[in-house]
Amino acid sequence: MPGLEDLYREIILDHYRNPRNRGELETPPARRAEGFNPLCGDEVVIYLETDGDLITDLKIGGQGCSISQSSASMMSAAVKGMTVDEAQNITRVFKAMMSIHESGLDGDGGDEDLQIDDEVSLGDLEALRGVVRFPVRIKCATLSWNTLLDAIDGH
Amino acid sequence: MTIEKVGLDAAALKAQFPLLSRTINGRRMVYLDSANTSQKPDTVIDAISDYYRNTNANVHRGSYQIAHEATEALEGARAKVASFINAPSTSEVVFSKNATESLNLVAQSWGRKNLREGDTVVLTELEHHANIVPWQMLREAIGIELRWIPITDEGKLDLSDLDRLLDGASLVCVSAMSNVLGTLNPISDIATRAHAAGALVLADASQYVPHLPTDVQTLGADFVAFTAHKMCAPTGIGVLWAREELLEDMPPFLGGGEMILQVTKEGYTTNDLPWKFEAGTPPIAEAVGLGAAIDFLSELGMKNVRAHEVALTAYALRTLSERFGDDIKIFGPSEPAERGGVLSFTYRDVHPHDVAQVLDQQNVCVRAGHHCAKPLMQRLGVGSTTRASLYLYNDESDIDVLSDSLAEAGDMFTF
């Protein structure tokens, strides 16, 4: 059984303590999308402002656990300034990281087999890798990313 | 006639629930999620196994020995349920899939027969989604009106405006015990006033029947729904009790085999009660398990179960309040006699999911979330809570482990 230190990495707790890009943006011009985790009642609201293809600003609202909140914070820091394509790409990479162990959740192996788009660096987001060992929390970590996709699609 | 023992020996009881002896990472199981589902004793597990090994056949239609035995087993379980809740007749005991289906049965059968556009159903702010959504679906379908009995800050029903809420109402849907707050609601008082106003009462007794002596003839409700898996029995079977004349007047809920007397190309006639409401092959092994669970509970004595849980709830409230002071906020009535052993709380500003995660590391099983009561969460002003819920196999040592683990969660999330 993985230890709590695998889950609650310092950088995760830092983003939980001091969430980046917290707030709201005026809609329009910003687009707003809401995501819910029906299991635990967590909710995230994303305000997304784009200029052409570029994500110029992004704010996060809502409430949730340390994992959902820190993942949202890290996501906001990562995708701000990216193009929409880049944001969609890093979302794919992140979600792949969150599902890579699904066939062998108990094993410690598999990290070295992580073959996802090498051109995309997850940076701080790597800290969330441990979440896959706690399957119940995967939905917490992916909530804001799925909501980001909704915001991009204009849902 | 069972001679009731005095007090419960929780340690001896734990030994009768095989899952509770499981260890994970060398830590014993501290199961505090019985409001979600209860664990099952050996006698229940054995009864189900024995049924499949020796008796399995379909019911009410076979002409051979084991088919007869299976039918006897199913109907014998129904008789045990009737006796356990003091129903006047087994005709009034309908088996369903779970409490949710029982509640939907009332909404779809009684509701569609008796309610018209503009008619009023009264709910409460502390209902489980299972006693809200079926009525919202009926509102969408036929345009009924829903009114809400509010709660006080202590988590009790605020009945100060009940007469106005009841004015012209057809039905009151109320939980006998809140699955979040533990509040024991005054069903009998509400029923007296509802009946005087011409309304019927539907009690969601899912959290009540497993924990307190239940007598449907004095409870006051016209319909009582509960589920088996919270009372030491298997999943997949629930009960709807209702007065016979109500059930007689209600159209069938689901159609199919078992619920008919006659079928022609032109139509069908319905079977007698309670089978009119039991389309298809019923949950036979589950009923056998429920019967065994009722034997188990009856032998302990429901008064003893209740007394054990009141004492343990008092211990838990005292232990957690003394240790954590203002850092913990436990919702619901502060007086143990007014509540069941369901302790929903927030702990500082540590999110319930994180609390539950740290507790899980100590093999302490609690539920974190909205407990299928989002309108109540809104009223309480929280997104979610952590909930520890007690049953007959819990003891003070379980509370002590909970308390220590909670302190650990506090340390981890001290910023």
Side-chain angles (χ1 to χ4, degrees):
Chain A
M1 190 177 186
L4 285 179
E5 63 281 3
D6 296 325
L7 184 65
Y8 296 125
R9 307 275 294 276
E10 188 47 44
I11 194 159
I12 292 175
L13 294 177
D14 176 61
H15 275 268
Y16 182 43
R17 274 188 294 258
N18 308 299
R20 324 291 199 262
N21 301 305
R22 190 89 197 151
E24 298 179 10
L25 293 174
E26 196 181 330
T27 53
R31 287 196 296 251
R32 182 180 186 278
E34 288 179 4
F36 296 95
N37 183 344
L39 289 175
C40 59
D42 284 0
E43 53 188 65
V44 64
V45 186
I46 289 181
Y47 298 87
L48 181 74
E49 209 164 276
T50 49
D51 182 4
D53 225 18
L54 196 68
I55 295 175
T56 50
D57 205 357
L58 187 147
K59 295 281 187 202
I60 308 276
Q63 48 86 25
C65 67
S66 60
I67 301 302
S68 74
Q69 294 297 289
S70 62
S71 182
S73 172
M74 288 190 221
M75 180 274 286
S76 72
V79 304
K80 212 162 131 176
M82 281 185 173
T83 65
V84 166
D85 278 354
E86 287 168 339
Q88 285 173 324
N89 198 26
I90 195 172
T91 302
R92 264 194 299 276
V93 173
F94 180 78
K95 288 178 71 174
M97 181 173 86
M98 284 297 114
S99 60
I100 197 115
H101 291 288
E102 265 179 10
S103 54
L105 287 166
D106 294 330
D108 283 336
D111 288 24
E112 65 280 8
D113 300 329
L114 190 65
Q115 284 177 354
I116 42 185
D117 197 335
D118 290 337
E119 289 167 31
V120 178
S121 164
L122 285 171
D124 286 358
L125 290 162
E126 290 278 353
L128 284 162
R129 186 183 293 275
V131 171
V132 291
R133 301 218 177 108
F134 298 83
V136 175
R137 306 304 288 276
I138 291 174
K139 278 195 159 67
C140 307
T142 53
L143 176 64
S144 58
W145 296 84
N146 288 323
T147 311
L148 171 68
L149 292 182
D150 286 347
I152 287 172
D153 292 345
H155 289 166
Chain B
M1 182 101 182
T2 331
I3 297 164
E4 291 188 351
K5 295 171 194 159
V6 180
L8 296 187
D9 180 352
L13 281 170
K14 276 186 200 295
Q16 295 181 48
F17 289 75
L19 191 138
L20 296 180
S21 66
R22 183 175 168 192
T23 59
I24 297 178
N25 284 339
R27 295 194 175 89
R28 76 173 178 91
M29 189 68 70
V30 178
Y31 188 77
L32 294 169
D33 198 20
S34 295
N36 208 344
T37 193
S38 69
Q39 294 304 335
K40 322 302 176 196
D42 282 317
T43 52
V44 168
I45 297 166
D46 292 348
I48 297 166
S49 171
D50 179 69
Y51 168 78
Y52 278 123
R53 287 173 190 282
N54 295 303
T55 313
N56 180 51
N58 214 327
V59 293
H60 295 142
R61 64 197 75 171
S63 52
Y64 42 87
Q65 176 67 24
I66 56 170
H68 173 68
E69 289 176 11
T71 304
E72 291 285 298
L74 175 71
E75 296 307 326
R78 195 190 310 276
K80 286 179 183 179
V81 173
S83 164
F84 190 66
I85 61 172
N86 199 29
S89 157
T90 52
S91 307
E92 299 182 346
V93 176
V94 176
F95 284 139
S96 60
K97 184 173 71 185
N98 46 35
T100 298
E101 189 177 270
S102 297
L103 295 166
N104 276 273
L105 192 165
V106 178
Q108 292 300 318
S109 169
W110 182 87
R112 283 180 180 266
K113 170 90 187 277
N114 293 284
L115 299 177
R116 297 287 170 270
E117 185 176 354
D119 285 352
T120 296
V121 170
V122 180
L123 310 177
T124 87
E125 279 184 339
L126 53 68
E127 294 312 301
H128 188 284
H129 293 164
N131 208 13
I132 296 175
V133 179
W135 305 106
Q136 292 175 328
M137 288 166 64
L138 203 58
R139 176 170 63 183
E140 284 171 14
I142 64 173
I144 59 168
E145 185 195 330
L146 300 181
R147 294 180 194 156
W148 300 81
I149 299 175
I151 60 167
T152 66
D153 289 340
E154 208 197 349
K156 297 182 191 174
L157 292 181
D158 176 358
L159 301 177
S160 58
D161 206 19
L162 184 62
D163 290 334
R164 190 187 60 79
L165 290 168
L166 287 173
D167 185 28
S170 304
L171 180 72
V172 181
C173 302
V174 53
S175 162
M177 181 180 132
S178 163
N179 69 310
V180 176
L181 305 167
T183 315
L184 289 164
N185 293 318
I187 301 297
S188 170
D189 295 350
I190 292 170
T192 302
R193 292 169 70 177
H195 291 155
L200 296 178
V201 174
L202 162 61
D204 173 2
S206 301
Q207 301 290 344
Y208 187 95
V209 174
H211 301 281
L212 290 96
T214 303
D215 181 341
V216 293
Q217 296 187 57
T218 57
L219 190 64
D222 303 279
F223 302 95
V224 176
F226 59 99
T227 193
H229 71 92
K230 296 185 200 292
M231 51 189 287
C232 299
T235 54
I237 185 166
V239 173
L240 174 68
W241 172 85
R243 287 189 289 109
E244 191 165 331
E245 66 265 31
L246 289 171
L247 292 173
E248 284 290 2
D249 189 50
M250 285 159 57
F253 172 44
L254 300 172
E258 191 83 7
M259 50 74 70
I260 49 87
L261 280 182
Q262 175 67 282
V263 182
T264 64
K265 285 180 182 168
E266 284 68 44
Y268 69 94
T269 53
T270 56
N271 200 343
D272 296 332
L273 291 177
W275 306 291
K276 179 170 95 176
F277 294 104
E278 297 179 1
T281 296
I284 310 165
E286 290 78 0
V288 169
L290 174 57
I294 285 173
D295 289 343
F296 177 83
L297 292 170
S298 300
E299 179 149 340
L300 293 175
M302 289 308 293
K303 279 184 185 164
N304 293 328
V305 170
R306 172 64 182 156
H308 172 76
E309 290 180 20
V310 170
L312 194 54
T313 301
Y315 179 78
L317 290 170
R318 196 170 61 239
T319 301
L320 297 175
S321 305
E322 281 174 6
R323 181 160 183 181
F324 299 107
D326 291 340
D327 281 348
I328 196 167
K329 177 169 173 48
I330 303 174
F331 296 96
S334 51
E335 175 54 51
E338 294 178 347
R339 61 178 298 151
V342 174
L343 299 153
S344 283
F345 60 87
T346 52
Y347 177 57
R348 304 212 312 230
D349 55 356
V350 186
H351 192 277
H353 238 188
D354 293 314
V355 171
Q357 188 82 60
V358 178
L359 264 51
D360 179 44
Q361 209 67 14
Q362 302 300 328
N363 210 9
V364 176
C365 309
V366 296
R367 181 162 172 195
H370 53 62
H371 316 295
C372 300
K374 289 197 95 168
L376 175 58
M377 293 290 118
Q378 220 158 22
R379 168 63 179 83
L380 298 176
V382 295
S384 58
T385 68
T386 308
R387 182 186 71 183
S389 52
L390 314 173
Y391 206 13
L392 47 90
Y393 37 66
N394 291 118
D395 57 18
E396 294 184 357
S397 73
D398 295 329
I399 304 299
D400 294 341
V401 178
L402 168 70
S403 177
D404 290 345
S405 306
L406 205 51
E408 202 174 310
D411 292 343
M412 178 156 270
F413 285 92
T414 299
F415 298 145

